[in-house]
Amino acid sequence: MKELGEHVRRHADDYRDAVHEHFFATVAESRQIFALSMRDTHPALGPAVAWVLDAAEDDGTVPAETLERIKQLGREHRRHGFPPEIYPKFEASLIKGFEALALTSHQQQVATRALHMVCQAMAEAAHADDVAGIAPAHSAQVVAVEHPNRKTAIIRVESGAPINYQTGQHFPVTSQLLPGTWRMLTPAHPADATGQLTFHVALAGDASSMLAKAKPGDWWTLGAPAGEPLELRTKAASQAGQAGTALISFGTGWAAARAALLDCLNSNDLPAGLSIYSVMPSPGEHYDTHFQANVQALAPRLSLHCIARSAQDPWLLGAQPQAEGFSVESTEDPMEAVLLHEGTAAKRKRFILVGPADRVEVSREALLNHGVPAEHIEETSWQRGHEWAASAADLDGWEDWDAWAAWKKSEWTKQ
């Protein structure tokens, strides 16, 4: 089925438009939950269907492990407000969209079987969460906004009730400024009983930049939390003879690292052999230095390093004053600096990489080339459409093709 998956991937826009044209005509109220621009309407649909077809057997049977990911998608899509009963209509639209691809009768048959299994799994998962009383989404009001530099916003929101999530998980977020468009954001602290959440938003791409323009009083909608938790404490690491954990965050991936650190500090259980690296494009883009200084004072045995890929800040960055004594290591190759700090213990350490998919993939390759076993490397990454791709090197979903070309040429994009 991989050839069929590639065919869908090559014609993803045509397929997506055909599916939505049918779905909007069949379920008129669906038009209001998607972006106004067709280009931004469900952009991951084609890659997601291709991903399913890649994994499907020759007769269209979808493997159980693939259906598990699809079930999670069904739970996440409850945020749109549709009941599970919508899935037969959605299935009909998915199949109708194949007309734009000129499939053979055999291809149509196996693809139809695969999508029937997918829609059935999503409907069952959504129904199970409905029965369990799990909230499909949360409403929260923006109460404070900070701009430590012109590339970053720190936004605090308050909900009327506690929101449960695990440290390191992310929320799909939208607002009145982003009709039908969602962005994945990770809270910068563990869950608590106050119903408050703080997000770090990078001004990268139109949607994130719109979220960063939030003002106190705005209302955000948060879907159900998703993704794997980020756990710095692990018995498995010590049992495997590892020499501790090194977490490397890129850009606003620092929010997840910050939350994991707070989780350990709150329980007075900071693991031994822990190193934290915050990597930014330039010195002034390190925006949470006061917190970092406080953590270092509270836990002096923690190895905390701030790295910048350039010694100079971009023009008009507008960086706010940083903590007294803040120091940053400037280097064109952050992973070279990380491995130098880790020394001979690097091959025995557990590495956690958090941030944009391109940064994470380059860093993973650097660790592998250094001799770090693949099973010692964990990744939490994001890129539009990347969750349905085999590699961040897939161009599907990249918002900045020029930035991709520059990064591919130098192996590290200078922002």
Side-chain angles (χ1 to χ4, degrees), residues 26-47:
T26 306
V27 185
E29 61 268 31
S30 66
R31 191 65 187 89
Q32 64 185 349
I33 72 166
F34 291 106
L36 298 178
S37 167
M38 184 61 78
R39 180 178 66 88
D40 295 322
T41 299
H42 210 169
L45 177 64

Side-chain angles (χ1 to χ4, degrees), residues 213-283:
K213 293 178 180 178
K215 302 293 183 184
D218 290 352
W219 284 93
W220 281 13
T221 300
L222 283 60
E228 295 298 319
L230 179 55
E231 177 58 75
L232 297 179
R233 301 175 297 261
T234 172
K235 294 180 181 179
S238 59
Q239 290 172 352
Q242 292 181 2
T245 297
L247 187 152
I248 309 169
S249 71
F250 302 91
T252 51
W254 168 253
R258 187 185 198 273
L261 269 175
L262 283 171
D263 192 28
C264 292
L265 293 172
N266 290 344
S267 59
N268 196 27
D269 188 17
L270 195 68
L274 176 63
S275 340
I276 302 289
Y277 297 88
S278 173
V279 181
M280 297 287 180
S282 71

Side-chain angles (χ1 to χ4, degrees), residues 199-211:
F199 297 105
H200 297 174
V201 183
L203 279 74
D206 293 341
S208 295
S209 297
M210 290 300 291
L211 279 178

